[in-house]
Every structure is written in C-alpha cells, then in structure tokens.
C-alpha cells in the first residue's frame, strides 16, 4: 500500500545511491525533490520517476552553499509542499595519503559531507518540526571506521554519525527521527573512480571487494535505497540516533 504522500528531498540524487533512493521513495508514494549540483543532471532521475508513475522535481543546488540551500528548500516547499523527509546523500571523494593530501582535498570533502548535511538539515527541520513529523537520514560509510587514503572522507563520515545522534536527541520531541546509513562497497561511479585511481579494472576491483564481504557480493544502490525506505517510513518512528551498517556483513 502506498504510504502517505509526504515530500522528500534527496541530495546528490542525479546518480548512484541518491538516484536509486529517490526512485525508491517515489515508489513508496513520496513526492521527491531530486537535488544535485546541476538541475539538468537531476532531471534524468526525475524522468525515470515520472516514467514509473511517480512525482518528482529537479532542483539544482550546491549543498555546501547556504544561499543555494535556502533557495532549494524554499523552492521544494513552494512546488511540492513542506519537506518532511531529508536524505543527506550528496558526496565527493578526494582520496590521498595524508602526506599528499592538500588543504583543498580536506576542505572540499568536509564542505560537501558535513557542512552540506548541516545546512540542509537546518533548513529542512523547520518544516518537519512545524508538522510534528520528520525523517532525516544521512549517508555515512564503513570508512568512518578508518580507511587508508581517506583521512578526509573517514573523518567526515564519522562526523556525520555524531551529527545524527545529536539531531536525534534535539529533534525527537518534535516527532523527527535522525539516522545514518553506513554503506560498505556499493557499485557506483564513486567506487569506479576509486578503481581508476588505484589502476584496477572495475570488474576485478569489485570481485576483490566481494571476496572480502561475508555475503560474497558487492552492494547495489538499491540495497541502500531499501534501508532508507525503512528509516523514512511511517513505522520507523521509534528508531532514532542509529547508524545502520549496510555492508553485507557486520561492522564494529
Ligand atoms: P556518486 O555516484 O559519486 O554520486 C554523488 C552525487 O552527489 C553526484 O550526483 C554528485 O554530483 C552529487 N554531489 C556532489 N557534490 C555535491 C554538492 N556539493 N551538492 C549537491 N550534489 C553534489 O556517489 P555514490 O557512490 O552514489 O555515493 C552517495 C553517498 O553514499 C555519498 O555520500 C557517499 O559518500 C556515500 N557512500 C558511498 C559508498 C559507495 O561504495 N559508493 C560507500 C559508502 C558511502 P556531480 O556528479 O555533479 O559531482
């Protein structure tokens, strides 16, 4: 049965995990704002949702820019209605060993993941708390536990876990939950770029990753979308402040 028509924002939803999540939430009956850097890129996801019979709009915004975030959230509220679901998914990698990592590599990753999630959540919570219902899900990563070549990214992803727990504490009394999903290896352009960086064929890279994963396969964007669907669902109101590792096996 379709869930209540609530408005959802998914950032970085032009491709990868964000696109799969936007499609899944639309299939759940949500009206979805597909946010990405370029509105034109977001439109491809919107077209797929429309072809499946769902409702979506494309919105161009850089989540690390406060003016663009304010304008994007206002535009969503005006065109679709007040957003009550936010998925902080937009992300970038700038991998390098610490001794080679530039300040720009560090700042870019912090700005998109941490500042972006902060700005989007701050702008969207107003609509959620007024409605007395809301769901915020932020994309962390197994890299939060430490990963060679990712001092910037692992710091940001660990930071999002603290951010999530604090939002859960502050916003719970307004009917708003906050959770994090921490994917392991998921087949997307991001992991394809990592394979290129280490000079490996993507299929070999995937097979090597799968051999280390208890369920013996790489993750798919739909694996993450299904978890976000649960966490943003009507029945998940008592699940808050959690970090769910979706990695084909256990993590500490
Ligand atoms: P992806 O394929 O690289 O997609 C990321 C999307 O975010 C792109 O469409 C990108 O736009 C957009 N984006 C980047 N910076 C942005 C900004 N400042 N404002 C708005 N949008 C922005 O990545 P993915 O693999 O689907 O990953 C999605 C999320 O899951 C990320 O937070 C990532 O860290 C996390 N994650 C991924 C994996 C994995 O194995 N793939 C594992 C753990 C966690 P452009 O194309 O224009 O740059």
């Amino acid at each position: 049965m379709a869930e209540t028509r609530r408005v959802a924002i998914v950032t970085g939803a032009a491709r990868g995990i964000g696109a799969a999540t936007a499609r899944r939430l639309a299939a759940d009956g949500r009206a979805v704002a597909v946010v990405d850097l370029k509105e034109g890129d977001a439109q491809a996801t919107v077209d797929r949702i429309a072809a499946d019979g769902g409702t979506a709009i494309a919105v161009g915004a850089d989540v690390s820019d406060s003016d663009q975030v304010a304008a994007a959230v206002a535009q969503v509220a005006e065109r679709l209605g007040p957003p009550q679901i936010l998925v902080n998914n937009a992300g970038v990698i700038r991998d390098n060993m610490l001794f080679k990592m530039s300040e720009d590599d560090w700042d870019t990753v912090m700005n998109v993941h941490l500042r972006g999630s902060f700005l989007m959540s701050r702008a969207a919570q107003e609509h959620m708390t007024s409605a007395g219902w809301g769901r915020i899900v932020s994309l962390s990563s197994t890299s939060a536990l430490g990963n060679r070549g990712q001092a910037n990214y692992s710091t940001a992803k660990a930071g999002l876990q603290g951010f999530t727990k604090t939002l859960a504490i502050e916003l719970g009394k307004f009917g708003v939950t906050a959770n994090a999903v921490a994917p392991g290896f998921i087949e997307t352009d991001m992991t394809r770029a990592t394979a290129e960086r280490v000079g490996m064929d993507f299929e070999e890279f995937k097979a090597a990753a799968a051999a280390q994963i208890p369920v013996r396969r790489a993750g798919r964007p739909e694996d993450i979308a299904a978890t976000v669907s649960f966490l943003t669902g009507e029945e998940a109101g008592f699940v808050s402040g959690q970090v769910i590792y979706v990695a084909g096996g256990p993590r500490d």
Side-chain angles (χ1 to χ4, degrees):
M1 198 180 76
E3 294 205 346
T4 311
R5 172 59 56 108
R6 297 190 193 269
V7 174
I9 298 177
V10 185
T11 68
R15 55 195 171 95
I17 293 169
T21 299
R23 291 185 73 198
R24 174 60 194 256
L25 297 190
D28 288 345
R30 311 315 194 173
V32 181
V34 177
V35 175
D36 213 290
L37 280 172
K38 294 192 194 110
E39 188 183 320
D41 292 346
Q43 189 59 42
T45 304
V46 168
D47 292 345
R48 292 188 72 181
I49 290 172
D52 294 341
T55 302
I57 59 168
V59 179
D62 176 346
V63 296
S64 65
D65 181 302
S66 56
D67 290 343
Q68 291 187 38
V69 164
V73 173
Q75 190 191 145
V76 173
E78 196 184 307
R79 291 174 64 194
L80 290 178
Q84 287 183 279
I85 296 170
L86 169 66
V87 184
N88 289 312
N89 168 83
V92 291
I93 45 173
R94 294 288 185 274
D95 296 355
N96 232 326
M97 296 297 284
L98 178 64
F99 74 102
K100 287 194 274 188
M101 188 172 284
S102 70
E103 287 165 43
D104 190 50
D105 290 338
W106 179 269
D107 291 343
T108 300
V109 168
M110 294 305 149
N111 283 339
V112 178
H113 295 271
L114 285 178
R115 185 178 160 82
S117 298
F118 155 62
L119 292 174
M120 286 299 306
S121 302
R122 191 180 61 176
Q125 60 79 33
E126 187 189 332
H127 296 287
M128 299 180 191
T129 53
S130 323
W133 194 99
R135 302 278 186 263
I136 299 174
V137 176
S138 299
L139 270 289
S140 180
S141 167
T142 50
S143 295
L145 302 167
N147 199 23
R148 188 180 171 85
Q150 292 196 317
N152 49 3
Y153 185 80
S154 63
T155 301
K157 292 309 199 186
L160 281 173
Q161 297 190 6
F163 178 67
T164 292
K165 290 173 191 177
T166 300
L167 295 195
I169 292 166
E170 290 187 10
L171 300 176
K173 67 178 175 192
F174 301 104
V176 180
T177 67
N179 291 285
V181 176
F185 186 101
I186 310 294
E187 189 179 344
T188 68
D189 290 345
M190 189 176 271
T191 39
R192 198 176 284 277
T194 307
E196 263 170 40
R197 183 176 61 84
V198 298
M200 270 177 86
D201 169 71
F202 189 49
E203 291 306 314
E204 277 174 42
F205 190 64
K206 249 173 47 185
Q212 303 298 317
I213 297 171
V215 303
R216 291 290 187 274
R217 69 166 174 86
R220 296 184 277 266
E222 291 72 20
D223 292 316
I224 306 306
T227 310
V228 175
S229 169
F230 165 69
L231 289 171
T232 57
E234 303 299 318
E235 293 180 325
F238 208 55
V239 182
S240 196
Q242 301 304 302
V243 179
I244 302 191
Y245 283 89
V246 183
R251 295 293 163 130
D252 293 332

